[in-house]
Amino acid sequence: MRTSVPRASATTLAVGVLMMAAACGSSPPTPHVGPTTIATATSATPTSSASGTPTATYPTATGTTSTTTTATATTSPPPTTQTSTLAPTAPIPAAFVGHVVSRIPTSRKVVALTFDAGANGDGVDSILATLAKEKVAASFYLTGNFVNAFPTLAVRMSAAGRLGNHSTSHPHLPTLTAAQVTTQVTSAQATILRVTGEDPRPLFRFPFGDSGPRDLRLVNDLGYIAVGWTVDTLGWQGTSGGRSVNSVVQRVLAAATPGEIVLMHVGSNPTDHSTLDADAVPRVIAGLRAAGYGFVSLDALGSG
Ligand SMILES: [Zn+2]
Protein backbone atom coordinates (compact mmCIF):
# COMPACT_ATOMS: atom_id res chain seq x y z
CA MET A 1 0.00 0.00 0.00
CA ARG A 2 2.56 2.45 -1.06
CA THR A 3 1.83 5.23 -3.48
CA SER A 4 4.15 7.67 -5.06
CA VAL A 5 3.07 11.24 -5.23
CA PRO A 6 4.42 13.38 -8.03
CA ARG A 7 5.95 16.54 -6.74
CA ALA A 8 5.99 19.97 -8.24
CA SER A 9 9.21 20.60 -6.41
CA ALA A 10 12.31 18.50 -6.65
CA THR A 11 13.08 19.02 -3.01
CA THR A 12 10.87 16.32 -1.68
CA LEU A 13 9.92 12.98 -3.05
CA ALA A 14 6.74 12.08 -1.30
CA VAL A 15 6.09 8.44 -0.83
CA GLY A 16 3.04 7.80 1.17
CA VAL A 17 0.78 5.13 2.37
CA LEU A 18 -2.77 5.53 3.47
CA MET A 19 -3.30 7.36 6.68
CA MET A 20 -3.63 4.04 8.43
CA ALA A 21 0.11 3.84 8.44
CA ALA A 22 0.61 7.54 8.91
CA ALA A 23 3.83 7.22 7.08
CA CYS A 24 5.64 9.64 4.95
CA GLY A 25 8.30 9.32 2.33
CA SER A 26 11.87 9.91 1.54
CA SER A 27 13.47 13.07 0.49
CA PRO A 28 16.87 13.72 -1.00
CA PRO A 29 19.07 15.99 1.04
CA THR A 30 18.73 19.60 0.08
CA PRO A 31 21.36 21.95 1.35
CA HIS A 32 20.08 25.23 2.64
CA VAL A 33 22.01 28.38 3.11
CA GLY A 34 20.93 30.44 6.00
CA PRO A 35 21.68 31.54 9.48
CA THR A 36 22.85 28.77 11.74
CA THR A 37 20.90 28.98 14.91
CA ILE A 38 21.05 25.47 16.16
CA ALA A 39 22.30 24.82 19.63
CA THR A 40 23.36 21.33 20.48
CA ALA A 41 21.42 19.46 23.08
CA THR A 42 23.75 16.62 23.69
CA SER A 43 24.46 17.23 27.32
CA ALA A 44 21.08 17.45 28.93
CA THR A 45 21.00 17.70 32.66
CA PRO A 46 19.21 14.85 34.35
CA THR A 47 16.64 15.74 36.92
CA SER A 48 15.72 13.91 40.00
CA SER A 49 12.01 13.64 39.41
CA ALA A 50 10.27 10.86 41.20
CA SER A 51 9.82 8.92 38.01
CA GLY A 52 13.39 9.39 36.94
CA THR A 53 12.40 11.23 33.81
CA PRO A 54 15.38 13.23 32.69
CA THR A 55 15.10 16.63 31.23
CA ALA A 56 16.20 17.43 27.77
CA THR A 57 18.06 20.54 26.87
CA TYR A 58 16.64 22.56 24.05
CA PRO A 59 17.83 25.63 22.28
CA THR A 60 15.82 28.68 23.13
CA ALA A 61 14.50 31.18 20.66
CA THR A 62 17.61 33.25 21.17
CA GLY A 63 19.88 30.42 20.18
CA THR A 64 21.21 29.89 23.64
CA THR A 65 20.67 26.69 25.49
CA SER A 66 18.34 26.28 28.39
CA THR A 67 17.30 23.31 30.40
CA THR A 68 13.62 22.64 30.51
CA THR A 69 12.11 21.49 33.74
CA THR A 70 10.03 18.40 33.39
CA ALA A 71 10.23 17.17 36.93
CA THR A 72 6.47 17.02 37.18
CA ALA A 73 5.84 15.92 33.63
CA THR A 74 5.71 12.23 34.18
CA THR A 75 2.86 9.91 33.50
CA SER A 76 -0.02 11.85 34.94
CA PRO A 77 -3.22 11.69 32.92
CA PRO A 78 -3.75 14.43 30.41
CA PRO A 79 -5.30 17.50 31.89
CA THR A 80 -8.80 18.15 30.70
CA THR A 81 -8.41 21.87 30.79
CA GLN A 82 -5.20 23.51 29.76
CA THR A 83 -4.51 27.13 29.36
CA SER A 84 -5.23 27.48 25.70
CA THR A 85 -4.07 30.99 25.21
CA LEU A 86 -2.64 31.15 21.75
CA ALA A 87 0.18 33.56 21.16
CA PRO A 88 -0.03 35.74 18.06
CA THR A 89 1.43 34.21 14.94
CA ALA A 90 5.06 35.20 14.63
CA PRO A 91 6.68 35.38 11.23
CA ILE A 92 9.10 32.55 10.54
CA PRO A 93 12.67 33.27 9.45
CA ALA A 94 12.91 34.22 5.81
CA ALA A 95 15.38 31.41 5.20
CA PHE A 96 12.63 28.89 5.86
CA VAL A 97 9.83 30.47 3.83
CA GLY A 98 8.58 28.77 0.70
CA HIS A 99 10.32 25.45 0.91
CA VAL A 100 10.44 22.25 2.89
CA VAL A 101 13.43 22.15 5.24
CA SER A 102 15.10 18.83 4.65
CA ARG A 103 18.31 19.54 6.52
CA ILE A 104 19.21 21.87 9.36
CA PRO A 105 21.41 24.60 7.92
CA THR A 106 24.50 23.98 10.00
CA SER A 107 28.04 22.74 9.54
CA ARG A 108 28.07 21.19 12.98
CA LYS A 109 27.80 17.45 13.40
CA VAL A 110 24.31 17.40 14.81
CA VAL A 111 21.29 15.31 13.95
CA ALA A 112 17.60 15.85 14.65
CA LEU A 113 15.57 12.75 15.39
CA THR A 114 11.94 13.31 14.42
CA PHE A 115 8.98 11.02 14.92
CA ASP A 116 5.59 11.19 13.23
CA ALA A 117 2.49 9.95 14.98
CA GLY A 118 -0.77 9.21 13.31
CA ALA A 119 -2.15 5.69 13.41
CA ASN A 120 -1.11 4.35 16.79
CA GLY A 121 1.39 4.84 19.57
CA ASP A 122 2.69 1.30 19.92
CA GLY A 123 6.33 2.38 19.93
CA VAL A 124 6.00 5.39 22.20
CA ASP A 125 6.95 3.70 25.46
CA SER A 126 10.12 2.28 23.98
CA ILE A 127 11.08 5.49 22.18
CA LEU A 128 10.56 7.71 25.19
CA ALA A 129 12.48 5.31 27.41
CA THR A 130 15.41 5.34 25.02
CA LEU A 131 15.43 9.11 24.62
CA ALA A 132 15.31 9.55 28.38
CA LYS A 133 18.02 6.99 29.01
CA GLU A 134 20.29 8.51 26.38
CA LYS A 135 19.29 12.11 27.15
CA VAL A 136 18.60 12.82 23.51
CA ALA A 137 16.36 15.60 22.25
CA ALA A 138 13.71 14.82 19.63
CA SER A 139 10.59 16.26 18.08
CA PHE A 140 7.23 14.60 17.52
CA TYR A 141 4.73 15.48 14.81
CA LEU A 142 1.22 14.68 15.93
CA THR A 143 -2.06 14.69 14.09
CA GLY A 144 -5.00 16.15 15.93
CA ASN A 145 -6.74 12.81 15.63
CA PHE A 146 -3.81 11.06 17.29
CA VAL A 147 -3.88 13.52 20.16
CA ASN A 148 -7.60 12.94 20.67
CA ALA A 149 -7.16 9.17 20.52
CA PHE A 150 -4.03 9.02 22.69
CA PRO A 151 -4.07 12.10 24.92
CA THR A 152 -1.88 10.56 27.60
CA LEU A 153 0.78 9.63 25.07
CA ALA A 154 0.63 13.14 23.62
CA VAL A 155 1.25 14.66 27.03
CA ARG A 156 4.17 12.33 27.63
CA MET A 157 5.67 13.15 24.24
CA SER A 158 5.35 16.84 24.98
CA ALA A 159 7.23 16.31 28.23
CA ALA A 160 9.91 14.27 26.49
CA GLY A 161 10.55 16.48 23.50
CA ARG A 162 9.18 19.12 21.20
CA LEU A 163 5.79 18.77 19.52
CA GLY A 164 5.03 19.68 15.94
CA ASN A 165 1.80 19.82 13.96
CA HIS A 166 1.06 17.00 11.47
CA SER A 167 -2.45 18.17 10.45
CA THR A 168 -5.73 17.02 11.88
CA SER A 169 -6.55 13.89 9.87
CA HIS A 170 -3.48 13.32 7.67
CA PRO A 171 -4.96 14.09 4.25
CA HIS A 172 -3.06 14.99 1.10
CA LEU A 173 -3.23 18.74 1.59
CA PRO A 174 -2.78 19.69 -2.09
CA THR A 175 -6.11 18.00 -2.81
CA LEU A 176 -7.97 20.27 -0.38
CA THR A 177 -9.26 23.80 -0.67
CA ALA A 178 -7.26 26.55 0.95
CA ALA A 179 -9.87 26.87 3.67
CA GLN A 180 -9.70 23.15 4.34
CA VAL A 181 -5.91 23.24 4.56
CA THR A 182 -6.10 26.08 7.03
CA THR A 183 -8.61 24.17 9.13
CA GLN A 184 -6.44 21.06 9.05
CA VAL A 185 -3.57 23.07 10.50
CA THR A 186 -5.39 25.28 12.96
CA SER A 187 -7.64 22.55 14.31
CA ALA A 188 -4.68 20.28 15.00
CA GLN A 189 -2.88 23.20 16.60
CA ALA A 190 -5.83 23.87 18.89
CA THR A 191 -6.11 20.20 19.85
CA ILE A 192 -2.41 19.86 20.60
CA LEU A 193 -2.47 23.05 22.68
CA ARG A 194 -5.62 22.08 24.56
CA VAL A 195 -4.47 18.57 25.44
CA THR A 196 -0.76 19.09 26.05
CA GLY A 197 -0.48 22.80 26.77
CA GLU A 198 2.20 23.04 24.09
CA ASP A 199 1.93 25.27 21.05
CA PRO A 200 3.28 23.22 18.12
CA ARG A 201 4.38 26.29 16.19
CA PRO A 202 6.71 26.74 14.37
CA LEU A 203 7.08 23.05 13.49
CA PHE A 204 4.82 21.53 10.84
CA ARG A 205 5.23 18.37 8.82
CA PHE A 206 3.13 17.72 5.75
CA PRO A 207 1.20 14.44 5.72
CA PHE A 208 2.95 12.12 3.25
CA GLY A 209 5.45 14.95 2.76
CA ASP A 210 2.94 16.17 0.21
CA SER A 211 2.83 19.89 -0.42
CA GLY A 212 2.55 22.43 -3.17
CA PRO A 213 3.50 26.11 -3.26
CA ARG A 214 0.03 27.10 -2.04
CA ASP A 215 0.22 24.74 0.93
CA LEU A 216 3.67 25.97 1.85
CA ARG A 217 2.46 29.54 1.72
CA LEU A 218 -0.54 28.74 3.90
CA VAL A 219 1.42 26.95 6.61
CA ASN A 220 4.19 29.57 6.53
CA ASP A 221 1.56 32.29 6.97
CA LEU A 222 0.16 30.38 9.94
CA GLY A 223 3.59 30.61 11.59
CA TYR A 224 4.96 27.23 10.59
CA ILE A 225 8.21 26.01 9.12
CA ALA A 226 7.68 22.97 6.90
CA VAL A 227 9.95 20.35 8.43
CA GLY A 228 10.93 17.66 5.96
CA TRP A 229 13.67 15.10 6.34
CA THR A 230 17.07 14.13 5.07
CA VAL A 231 16.37 10.44 5.37
CA ASP A 232 13.25 8.35 5.86
CA THR A 233 14.20 5.22 7.76
CA LEU A 234 11.37 3.33 6.00
CA GLY A 235 10.83 1.52 9.28
CA TRP A 236 7.12 2.17 8.76
CA GLN A 237 7.19 -0.41 5.96
CA GLY A 238 7.70 -3.06 8.59
CA THR A 239 9.15 -6.52 8.39
CA SER A 240 6.40 -7.37 5.92
CA GLY A 241 7.83 -4.66 3.71
CA GLY A 242 11.28 -6.18 3.83
CA ARG A 243 12.65 -3.82 6.46
CA SER A 244 14.55 -4.65 9.61
CA VAL A 245 16.07 -2.90 12.57
CA ASN A 246 19.37 -3.24 10.80
CA SER A 247 18.12 -1.60 7.60
CA VAL A 248 16.72 1.30 9.61
CA VAL A 249 20.04 1.84 11.37
CA GLN A 250 22.02 1.56 8.17
CA ARG A 251 19.84 4.08 6.31
CA VAL A 252 20.30 6.66 9.06
CA LEU A 253 24.06 6.15 9.28
CA ALA A 254 24.51 6.14 5.51
CA ALA A 255 22.78 9.52 5.30
CA ALA A 256 24.64 11.03 8.26
CA THR A 257 25.57 14.62 7.52
CA PRO A 258 25.68 17.82 9.55
CA GLY A 259 22.09 18.83 10.16
CA GLU A 260 20.59 15.49 9.16
CA ILE A 261 16.88 15.27 9.89
CA VAL A 262 15.82 11.67 10.49
CA LEU A 263 12.19 10.70 9.87
CA MET A 264 10.88 7.89 12.03
CA HIS A 265 7.42 6.89 13.24
CA VAL A 266 6.10 6.11 16.70
CA GLY A 267 3.48 3.62 15.52
CA SER A 268 3.60 -0.02 14.58
CA ASN A 269 3.14 -1.30 11.07
CA PRO A 270 -0.57 -2.10 10.62
CA THR A 271 0.16 -5.37 8.84
CA ASP A 272 2.86 -7.02 10.91
CA HIS A 273 2.68 -4.84 14.04
CA SER A 274 6.44 -4.40 14.03
CA THR A 275 7.94 -1.29 15.61
CA LEU A 276 11.21 -1.19 13.73
CA ASP A 277 11.88 2.50 14.28
CA ALA A 278 11.32 2.27 18.02
CA ASP A 279 13.46 -0.85 18.16
CA ALA A 280 16.23 0.81 16.17
CA VAL A 281 16.51 4.04 18.14
CA PRO A 282 19.15 2.78 20.61
CA ARG A 283 21.41 1.64 17.76
CA VAL A 284 20.71 4.78 15.74
CA ILE A 285 21.82 6.93 18.66
CA ALA A 286 24.88 4.80 19.38
CA GLY A 287 25.89 4.70 15.73
CA LEU A 288 25.58 8.43 15.23
CA ARG A 289 27.48 9.12 18.44
CA ALA A 290 30.23 6.78 17.33
CA ALA A 291 30.46 8.84 14.14
CA GLY A 292 30.84 12.02 16.17
CA TYR A 293 27.30 13.34 16.01
CA GLY A 294 25.25 14.97 18.73
CA PHE A 295 21.52 15.59 18.80
CA VAL A 296 19.36 18.67 18.60
CA SER A 297 15.71 19.42 18.74
CA LEU A 298 14.39 21.71 16.05
CA ASP A 299 13.25 24.51 18.36
CA ALA A 300 15.84 26.95 17.15
CA LEU A 301 14.63 26.79 13.57
CA GLY A 302 12.06 29.39 14.51
CA SER A 303 14.52 31.90 15.87
CA GLY A 304 16.05 32.94 12.58
ZN1 LIG B 1 2.51 11.13 8.60
Side-chain angles (χ1 to χ4, degrees):
M1 49 190 269
R2 172 176 158 171
T3 56
S4 292
V5 181
R7 297 296 310 254
S9 158
T11 56
T12 305
L13 171 65
V15 180
V17 295
L18 300 178
M19 55 181 287
M20 269 295 293
C24 300
S26 60
S27 151
T30 303
H32 297 288
V33 178
T36 299
T37 57
I38 308 304
T40 47
T42 53
S43 57
T45 305
T47 63
S48 54
S49 67
S51 70
T53 303
T55 56
T57 304
Y58 301 106
T60 66
T62 58
T64 58
T65 302
S66 69
T67 300
T68 57
T69 301
T70 58
T72 59
T74 53
T75 55
S76 55
T80 52
T81 54
Q82 282 275 0
T83 303
S84 297
T85 306
L86 190 58
T89 297
I92 64 172
F96 300 130
V97 172
H99 64 95
V100 175
V101 178
S102 57
R103 191 181 69 83
I104 303 166
T106 181
S107 58
R108 299 166 61 190
K109 293 186 75 171
V110 293
V111 171
L113 299 182
T114 72
F115 298 87
D116 287 2
N120 66 73
D122 292 349
V124 171
D125 281 346
S126 169
I127 290 165
L128 296 190
T130 302
L131 296 176
K133 178 170 180 283
E134 300 296 336
K135 300 177 179 59
V136 164
S139 53
F140 303 92
Y141 300 80
L142 312 185
T143 64
N145 287 354
F146 178 91
V147 173
N148 281 324
F150 305 100
T152 302
L153 293 185
V155 169
R156 290 176 57 207
M157 290 152 95
S158 175
R162 179 67 164 82
L163 298 188
N165 184 330
H166 197 35
S167 84
T168 297
S169 61
H170 209 272
H172 289 276
L173 294 186
T175 67
L176 305 183
T177 68
Q180 288 171 327
V181 171
T182 297
T183 299
Q184 279 284 330
V185 176
T186 58
S187 175
Q189 174 178 291
T191 299
I192 293 168
L193 183 63
R194 173 176 52 80
V195 172
T196 71
E198 181 174 348
D199 185 339
R201 291 176 301 181
L203 304 181
F204 182 83
R205 177 165 276 154
F206 282 103
F208 310 102
D210 193 7
S211 68
R214 178 206 64 172
D215 311 301
L216 273 166
R217 190 165 54 248
L218 286 171
V219 301
N220 288 165
D221 287 349
L222 290 168
Y224 286 98
I225 294 166
V227 179
W229 53 88
T230 312
V231 62
D232 178 350
T233 64
L234 301 180
W236 56 270
Q237 292 181 345
T239 53
S240 56
R243 300 294 165 179
S244 65
V245 168
N246 197 53
S247 74
V248 167
V249 173
Q250 292 312 314
R251 283 182 64 82
V252 174
L253 297 183
T257 188
E260 178 185 24
I261 299 174
V262 178
L263 170 64
M264 307 179 98
H265 288 80
V266 303
S268 61
N269 179 281
T271 301
D272 58 41
H273 307 293
S274 63
T275 52
L276 296 182
D277 282 339
D279 300 345
V281 174
R283 284 181 54 195
V284 164
I285 292 171
L288 287 169
R289 279 183 169 154
Y293 287 87
F295 299 90
V296 293
S297 80
L298 290 173
D299 281 18
L301 285 183
S303 66

